Amino acid sequence: MKTKCVAYFRVSTVRQGESGLGLDVQRETVSRFSFSHNMETVGEFTEVESGKKTDAERPQLAEALATCRKLGATLVVSKLDRLSRN
């Protein structure tokens, strides 16, 4: 049985979001990780926001976390700095 996971991708600027800079690499990293750990991705959330903002100011992160709770899934990010700058 596969473990459920929810993927969260974040870039800091609109320019990065529009160009895809960083997003493609994040998607590839999460895809490889989930495949190698026999995980099924049940949701993907992408956000263009600063990592300095609070969870309340990052609606896609809040939605990703809510989905994890609802489905009993694990949140997966490409690197911890996608969640926070600290």
Side-chain angles (χ1 to χ4, degrees):
M1 181 177 188
K2 290 189 174 192
T3 302
K4 295 177 185 174
C5 73
V6 172
Y8 176 73
F9 310 108
R10 183 186 65 79
V11 291
S12 299
T13 67
V14 172
R15 184 174 164 194
Q16 288 174 327
E18 290 173 350
S19 72
L21 288 174
L23 288 175
D24 291 338
V25 172
Q26 289 180 54
R27 283 191 178 94
E28 180 64 26
T29 300
V30 168
S31 177
R32 287 179 189 219
F33 177 86
S34 61
F35 178 78
S36 69
H37 287 82
N38 198 33
M39 298 175 113
E40 173 189 7
T41 303
V42 295
E44 288 188 5
F45 297 86
T46 302
E47 195 146 57
V48 179
E49 292 289 350
S50 169
K52 289 182 178 180
K53 291 191 174 184
T54 66
D55 291 355
E57 296 173 304
R58 294 165 56 190
Q60 291 297 298
L61 176 57
E63 190 67 29
L65 292 171
T67 301
C68 285
R69 287 195 262 327
K70 179 180 175 183
L71 300 177
T74 301
L75 184 70
V76 177
V77 295
S78 63
K79 290 174 38 179
L80 286 178
D81 69 357
R82 299 299 85 202
L83 287 177
S84 173
R85 296 191 117 199
N86 297 328

